[in-house]
Each structure stands twice: as C-alpha cells, then as structure tokens.
Amino acid sequence: MPTSLKTIKSRLDAHLGEGLTVVAQAGRKKVVRRKGTLSETFHSVFVVDLDQNENSFERVSYSYADLLTKSIDITFDSEEVEETEAEAE
C-alpha cells in the first residue's frame, strides 16, 4: 500500500476512467460496498461516479487520507481480473 498522499494520488491518476469497488466502514460493524467509475482526482480528494442501478445518488468523493488510514478500501476491476487469472493458474 502506498505510504504517502502524493503516491496515492499518482496511483489513482493512472486508473482514471476505470471501474472500481469501494468498501467503506460506515459504523462499528457496518460496511458499505459501492461500485462505480473513478472520474476525477483533485488536490486532496477523488470522485467516483456510482452505478445508478445500485445506488440512489450519482457521485461520492473520498479523501486520499481515507485510503492512507484504511477507512476505505479500493479494488479496481482490472486488478480483480488479474487476481482471478493468477488463482486459476
């Protein structure tokens, strides 16, 4: 896992426009899982356009600090495919 905000931002910049799944801690034992597309990265936040079939709102934003502190976890769809192929071998 990247250890600085700058590294996290550059990693996300490389995945702009890709599908992803965000798993966020919503409480003590509650976890929220959202699917969408990484649409924009800014100086301190990034924006995810959510799938309208699964969510009642269009966009959500998170800070890079959320990733650093592991408040949220992101898995890109392309990474999921690579992991599945590696397990099959």
Side-chain angles (χ1 to χ4, degrees):
M1 183 71 181
T3 56
S4 73
L5 298 178
K6 186 176 179 181
T7 308
I8 292 170
K9 182 180 182 325
S10 63
R11 179 177 175 235
L12 290 176
D13 284 339
H15 290 283
L16 278 173
E18 287 188 31
L20 56 81
T21 302
V22 178
V23 179
Q25 300 294 328
R28 213 164 148 189
K29 293 184 180 181
K30 187 173 180 185
V31 175
V32 176
R33 185 178 308 263
R34 296 186 175 121
K35 290 188 178 218
T37 305
L38 180 62
S39 64
E40 297 177 87
T41 58
F42 295 102
H43 180 69
S44 59
V45 297
F46 60 97
V47 178
V48 177
D49 287 334
L50 299 174
D51 291 341
Q52 292 304 301
N53 298 335
E54 299 178 10
N55 301 288
S56 59
F57 42 94
E58 295 180 20
R59 308 174 104 194
V60 66
S61 63
Y62 298 100
S63 71
Y64 302 120
D66 291 335
L67 281 170
L68 188 64
T69 60
K70 299 183 181 178
S71 298
I72 64 170
D73 184 38
I74 291 181
T75 306
F76 290 98
D77 294 345
S78 59
E79 291 175 356
E80 287 179 358
V81 171
E82 291 172 6
E83 288 176 5
T84 305
E85 290 173 356
E87 290 174 1
E89 293 176 354

